[in-house]
Amino acid sequence: MVDGLGQRTDEEIVVVGGGIGGLSAALSFARDGRRVRVLERADSFAEVGAGLQLAPNATRLLDRLGLLEAVQQAGVTPARLVIADARSGEGLASADLGARFRRTFGAPYVVIHRHDLLQILLTACQQAGVALETGREVVRAVSQGPQAHIECADGSTYAAHAVIGADGLRSALRAELHADGEPVASGYVAYRGALPIEQVERPHDLDTVIVWVGPGLHLVQYPIRRGEMYNQVAVFRSPAYAAGAADWGTPEELDEAFSAMCRPVRTAMPSLQRNFRWPTYDRAPVDRWVDGRAALLGDAAHPMLQYLAQGACQAIEDAVTVAQQFARHDTASAGERGVERALAAYESIRAPRAARVQRAARAWGDIWHIDGTGAMLRNELLRTIEDDDFSYADWLWGWRLPGD
Ligand SMILES: Cc1cc2nc3c(=O)[nH]c(=O)nc-3n(C[C@H](O)[C@H](O)[C@H](O)COP(=O)(O)OP(=O)(O)OC[C@H]3O[C@@H](n4cnc5c(N)ncnc54)[C@H](O)[C@@H]3O)c2cc1C
């Protein structure tokens, strides 16, 4: 419906951004029978051609949304998670992701092509009746009395009961709440490569997620798409960034950084996609995600370094939580303040949790990338962890929705 002001007013909730976080939120709301519209800036719903690790804190929620079977069919359920020394090649620690793991966390560890996950979410949103618009860049969204108002770069405007800003690292909606400027560059850069399995010279065990850790660098490798593709991500600290150069994290720096590593790690380098690189960013945690009827979600709220493989997992936790709080606070019948109360509850549940993950991701990166005596101590410690001891990760992978 378009009202006399030319605003669309028929949606209860507008979600800004159709990435993994935005589509998960839209689906969670739609599953509860709410009318939802997603506004996506890009011309299509798309993700970069790379893999994604989904830990049980996220797969448990995908199960709740009825998507786990499809996710497991499209992805790979690996048998092991291994940490190895990138210089010596020694395996340092291994987690058995089999039956005991699944019993402990109530869900599996899954690795999947990002595009495949986005397609599963998109199809589910379409089937659930979510209105999906592409080519809509939101420039402003504010809470005004009993409505949220949303303005797009093309002049279109929307009104809704609530607006969820799932617009990623450089969120326009976040800028309405926080004046914390540009994201923080880590000085590290990632090169990715998701290749047909037959093009990979020496894939590691095809049922394993392996993380090679070394001084100022790491390499992650795992199979995706039912084992038909192999995903590799090489990350290193750029000396040119540290020296203040404008062009940093070049392919030449990549080769130099990994040149002294063990053979299996060096072997991966030629199959990385060299024409595109991802400098990595995060932000310090903030405890304010909500202003009245406007709320942040996913990277817009808590951009984090990727070392715990949790950015998308946290976005999925946000998505299911915000819909749960709308249901709890009965926003349909609790009068004007129901939405504000639901969003305030969402913030109080999610902000401390995501802040802990953001901080731990920075610390985990330091541990992975340490050199010298620190690396020796790290390796000693990792060697002592039993492959069925998940106690160190329970706080992360064992998270449950309030009341579950
Ligand atoms: C190298 C690397 C590896 C990673 N590995 C993992 C992993 O294994 N597991 C994991 O859980 N996480 C991982 N992450 C993190 C994960 O990719 C992100 O945290 C996650 O994709 C964030 O999802 P999002 O929906 O919040 O944001 P995004 O994916 O950034 O989506 C935001 C969407 O909003 C749209 N948008 C932006 N601005 C506007 C606007 N103004 N108006 C309308 N639309 C807009 C964008 O086009 C985009 O579609 C990794 C990150 C990196 C860099």
Side-chain angles (χ1 to χ4, degrees):
M1 185 199 305
V2 177
D3 71 10
L5 301 170
Q7 284 186 331
R8 291 164 200 266
T9 55
D10 52 353
E11 264 75 40
E12 205 176 332
I13 294 154
V14 165
V15 176
V16 179
I20 291 163
L23 292 188
S24 300
L27 181 64
S28 303
F29 283 123
R31 287 270 196 262
D32 287 345
R34 296 179 195 278
R35 296 186 313 279
V36 192
R37 181 171 296 265
V38 177
L39 303 176
E40 165 57 46
R41 174 177 63 185
D43 292 336
S44 63
F45 292 92
E47 267 283 346
V48 292
L52 195 68
Q53 301 179 56
L54 294 170
N57 54 311
T59 56
R60 203 165 36 241
L61 300 178
L62 291 169
D63 194 18
R64 189 186 171 101
L65 291 172
L67 303 181
L68 182 57
E69 202 183 322
V71 164
Q72 282 193 273
Q73 271 171 13
V76 171
T77 305
R80 266 184 309 284
L81 187 59
V82 170
I83 301 182
D85 188 310
R87 197 154 32 195
S88 68
E90 179 196 352
L92 300 168
S94 164
D96 182 340
L97 303 176
R100 185 157 184 272
F101 176 90
R102 285 199 287 276
R103 262 199 318 280
T104 303
F105 295 112
Y109 203 98
V110 180
V111 285
I112 189 166
H113 197 296
R114 283 166 183 264
H115 172 79
D116 297 344
L117 177 61
L118 203 77
Q119 279 308 308
I120 290 168
L121 287 166
L122 191 60
T123 305
C125 281
Q126 284 159 343
Q127 288 167 350
V130 174
L132 296 156
E133 286 190 47
T134 52
R136 288 271 191 251
E137 180 181 356
V138 172
V139 289
R140 192 155 176 268
V142 288
S143 179
Q144 275 175 10
Q147 283 190 320
H149 289 271
I150 300 113
E151 296 170 23
C152 294
D154 62 8
S156 50
T157 60
Y158 298 78
H161 294 179
V163 59
I164 307 295
D167 51 342
L169 179 68
R170 292 191 163 78
S171 163
L173 271 74
R174 184 189 172 104
E176 306 274 345
L177 258 76
H178 294 283
D180 54 357
E182 285 294 302
V184 181
S186 68
Y188 280 74
V189 62
Y191 280 78
R192 286 160 153 163
L195 300 172
I197 202 82
E198 54 278 6
Q199 288 179 20
V200 183
E201 197 190 321
R202 276 174 52 129
H204 203 266
D205 291 348
L206 288 182
D207 58 357
T208 303
V209 175
I210 182 160
V211 184
W212 304 88
V213 295
L217 58 81
H218 71 268
L219 169 72
V220 184
Q221 296 175 302
Y222 53 85
I224 50 175
R225 201 166 275 171
R226 301 170 293 277
E228 294 159 21
M229 296 184 83
Y230 202 56
N231 182 69
Q232 312 192 85
V233 187
V235 178
F236 66 96
R237 184 169 47 224
S238 160
Y241 175 83
D247 187 23
W248 56 280
T250 60
E252 292 72 33
E253 280 194 312
L254 167 76
D255 289 332
E256 174 61 27
F258 283 88
S259 60
M261 297 303 111
C262 66
R263 190 167 182 287
V265 170
R266 289 197 321 271
T267 308
M269 294 302 119
S271 53
L272 295 167
Q273 201 189 328
R274 279 156 185 266
N275 55 356
F276 207 86
R277 56 186 119 141
W278 284 267
T280 60
Y281 299 89
D282 71 351
R283 287 184 188 275
V286 286
D287 52 17
R288 189 158 167 251
W289 293 12
V290 170
D291 179 24
R293 289 166 176 268
L296 303 175
L297 180 148
D299 275 8
H302 47 69
M304 60 185 65
L305 297 175
Q306 74 278 19
Y307 307 131
L308 290 172
Q310 276 286 324
C313 296
Q314 291 302 306
I316 293 168
E317 285 188 5
D318 296 343
V320 179
T321 307
V322 72
Q324 183 207 41
Q325 293 308 308
F326 266 61
R328 286 243 164 121
H329 291 266
D330 193 9
T331 53
S333 59
E336 268 187 25
R337 305 229 65 86
V339 170
E340 278 97 330
R341 279 204 294 269
L343 290 179
Y346 159 69
E347 179 188 84
S348 71
I349 295 162
R350 294 298 310 149
R353 158 78 174 162
R356 183 174 179 193
V357 184
Q358 276 176 292
R359 290 195 192 96
R362 280 188 181 179
W364 196 228
D366 291 342
I367 292 166
W368 275 9
H369 299 142
I370 204 165
D371 197 3
T373 310
M376 209 177 72
L377 292 173
R378 173 201 63 204
N379 290 359
E380 275 305 309
L381 191 68
L382 286 172
R383 284 184 198 109
T384 65
I385 299 175
E386 300 290 334
D387 73 351
D388 61 350
D389 175 7
F390 314 121
S391 54
Y392 58 91
D394 190 52
W395 71 274
L396 185 62
W397 296 341
W399 186 83
R400 307 255 167 189
L401 273 179
D404 263 18

